[in-house]
Amino acid sequence: MAASRTPAPVVSRCAVVLLAGLTLAGCSARGGADGGASTAPGATAAVKKAAAQPGGRTAPVKGDTFGCLTPEQAATDSIVFTSATGSPTGGFLTGRGNTGIVLAHQSGGSVCEWKDRALQLGKDGFRVLAVNSTTGDQAAEIEGAATVLRREGAWKLLLMGASQGGAATLQAAARMPLKPDALVALSAPSAPGPPGTSGTSGPVDARAAAEALAVPVLYLAGGRDGASVTAARELSAAGTKAPENRLVTVAGSDRRGVGLLSAPDTWETVVAFLKKYCT
């Protein structure tokens, strides 16, 4: 296990802007010029070579394009790390800053769902790790991704997940010994069901996780997606320990998960929430 390292001193935009009393513009003074970033030494120590995956799944490979990364992005930012249960897991690591964000995709998806948003967040001064879920335990993958970002020197940690990835984000946050600073759940289902079943949280009991959480949470659902609105209300109602428990219903939208973020106002709402909890 690699030892933690002390992060190089970076003047946070959040800190500077808060002191100046202005609107937040980002979470680090050194966002990547093109949204990409080479794997830092701390992350390199956490990256493992791919091993055979259980259940016949394809083992992740460092440098994988996932079907959407450019060759340059894959060469520098496509990594393999270890989940909390020891399984090799692929991911896209981009951006630069003292606040880390783990992104979890919805059932049947991949890193590609999050690629564009990951690059945007990277430019805003966040260090972002989008997880490519393949091990069957998405919450453990999220926990492993959080470990990578903390070892790199992230002072703050944020989690964001879509649909079943949102439910897994809640579970991961609830069981992490070192809690995240805030999380966002997009169209997260509340009721467990068979893995991969649409409209359920898979093997995750998202409601129980929401009950246990004592960190700020933002729940979002499309106003015309009745099942997601119901689930978001249930999860928000269960989260009585959260210091900020915010529920946003996107009027007129039937989109789910990452698709909700296609509306500029919704994306701005999410980014503003994230920036409240950056360094």
Side-chain angles (χ1 to χ4, degrees), residues 175-206:
R175 68 190 193 189
M176 283 179 182
L178 185 58
K179 300 302 182 188
D181 293 278
L183 66 89
V184 178
L186 307 172
S187 310
S190 59
T197 305
S198 177
T200 76
S201 55
V204 175
D205 188 343

Side-chain angles (χ1 to χ4, degrees), residues 146-172:
T147 298
V148 171
L149 292 172
R150 289 198 186 279
R151 284 178 182 162
E152 280 211 324
W155 300 347
K156 294 289 186 75
L157 179 70
L158 310 172
L159 309 178
M160 181 156 57
S163 193
Q164 285 192 15
T169 292
L170 291 167
Q171 183 184 53

Side-chain angles (χ1 to χ4, degrees), residues 27-255:
C27 284
S28 169
R30 299 189 296 177
D34 61 357
S38 298
T39 305
T44 303
V47 172
K48 309 290 185 181
K49 288 188 176 181
Q53 292 281 71
R57 290 183 289 268
T58 303
V61 178
K62 187 177 186 299
D64 192 350
T65 68
F66 304 110
C68 60
L69 302 185
T70 67
E72 294 76 18
Q73 289 168 336
T76 58
D77 302 334
S78 175
I79 69 168
V80 176
F81 62 94
T82 303
S83 77
T85 55
S87 297
T89 306
F92 175 47
L93 182 65
T94 189
R96 192 170 184 180
N98 292 329
T99 299
I101 303 182
V102 178
L103 302 177
H105 62 72
Q106 53 205 62
S107 176
S110 72
V111 157
C112 297
E113 285 179 15
W114 280 114
K115 177 193 170 185
D116 291 344
R117 299 301 177 183
L119 291 171
Q120 285 180 279
L121 290 168
K123 289 178 180 178
D124 277 348
F126 294 95
R127 185 67 162 155
V128 186
L129 179 47
V131 177
N132 197 62
S133 182
T134 58
T135 70
D137 189 343
Q138 196 170 14
E141 295 167 339
I142 294 165
E143 290 181 81
T147 298
V148 171
L149 292 172
R150 289 198 186 279
R151 284 178 182 162
E152 280 211 324
W155 300 347
K156 294 289 186 75
L157 179 70
L158 310 172
L159 309 178
M160 181 156 57
S163 193
Q164 285 192 15
T169 292
L170 291 167
Q171 183 184 53
R175 68 190 193 189
M176 283 179 182
L178 185 58
K179 300 302 182 188
D181 293 278
L183 66 89
V184 178
L186 307 172
S187 310
S190 59
T197 305
S198 177
T200 76
S201 55
V204 175
D205 188 343
R207 191 181 293 109
E211 289 175 355
L213 277 177
V215 300
V217 186
L218 171 62
Y219 298 100
L220 285 96
R224 292 171 59 192
D225 179 4
S228 292
V229 171
T230 299
R233 288 173 177 164
E234 291 175 352
L235 293 170
S236 180
T240 57
K241 297 179 183 178
E244 180 177 1
N245 182 338
R246 186 176 177 193
L247 171 60
V248 174
T249 301
V250 183
S253 177
D254 60 0
R255 292 177 176 267

